[in-house]
Amino acid sequence: MSLFVRLADWQSDRDAIRSVRQKVFVEEQQVPPELEWDEFEESAQHFLIYHDNKPIGTGRLTGGGKIGRMAILKEARGLGAGLELLQRICKFARVSGQKNVYLNAQVQAVPFYEKAGFAKSGDEFMEAGIPHVRMDLTLSDKEPSENADDCER
């Protein structure tokens, strides 16, 4: 199995990013398209994860350390791609000088983010018709070892 994550650019990688998010959020989860695409697309740092050279997931990091739009194609779930993607986003945030990151997790995904070290930090709320909760993580100050990941600090 070959998984790899790379930095993505909204201008040049828009089709791949949109394809994954369209399938996961708009089609599968019924998020209205007008809520899926927002004013942060061009300014966010996007990420794409590939399996066998095919884009299977995406996520982004916006100002203030907010991780968002994490999506893995249904047929690619269970490969460890979500955790790999999250770890890379956390590492990028730490290397970029962020001390903390946060995200609005779908309630059903809370256990996934808790396993990665995130902690709930607020009450449940609705976003795009789906229950969410804010989760926060303090990033490690030290350089992680080869086998460590920033999302468990």
Side-chain angles (χ1 to χ4, degrees):
M1 167 176 68
S2 82
L3 285 174
F4 71 92
V5 178
R6 72 169 180 82
L7 296 177
D9 173 73
W10 178 250
Q11 294 304 320
S12 56
D13 296 306
R14 179 186 336 218
D15 290 346
I17 295 165
R18 285 185 67 97
S19 176
V20 170
R21 286 173 44 191
Q22 176 74 25
K23 288 176 186 163
V24 173
F25 295 126
V26 178
E27 295 170 19
E28 184 182 334
Q29 297 183 358
Q30 303 296 300
V31 172
E34 62 272 15
L35 296 180
E36 179 54 30
W37 315 108
D38 64 21
E39 70 274 14
F40 300 109
E41 303 301 355
E42 293 195 18
S43 61
Q45 175 58 67
H46 294 270
F47 299 81
L48 282 165
I49 185 163
Y50 292 78
H51 178 253
D52 294 336
N53 296 316
K54 177 185 175 218
I56 59 163
T58 189
R60 72 181 189 186
L61 182 66
T62 57
K66 183 179 182 185
I67 297 171
R69 303 305 201 266
M70 289 270 303
I72 303 295
L73 295 176
K74 192 173 197 172
E75 62 270 20
R77 293 178 196 151
L79 300 174
L83 184 58
E84 181 76 17
L85 178 61
L86 184 60
Q87 289 172 344
R88 294 294 177 89
I89 294 171
C90 289
K91 182 176 182 179
F92 179 88
R94 183 187 56 75
V95 169
S96 298
Q98 292 288 331
K99 300 294 184 198
N100 303 287
V101 290
Y102 72 98
L103 50 83
N104 293 335
Q106 292 183 11
V107 169
Q108 53 85 19
V110 165
F112 166 78
Y113 291 110
E114 286 178 330
K115 281 202 295 191
F118 283 79
K120 290 190 270 186
S121 64
D123 295 326
E124 195 173 300
F125 60 93
M126 296 298 283
E127 186 172 62
I130 301 168
H132 284 72
V133 65
R134 180 180 164 133
M135 299 187 79
D136 293 283
L137 176 73
T138 299
L139 299 173
S140 171
D141 286 337
K142 54 191 172 204
E143 185 65 29
S145 70
E146 193 171 291
N147 295 321
D149 64 77
D150 288 349
C151 289
E152 293 184 348
R153 305 284 183 277

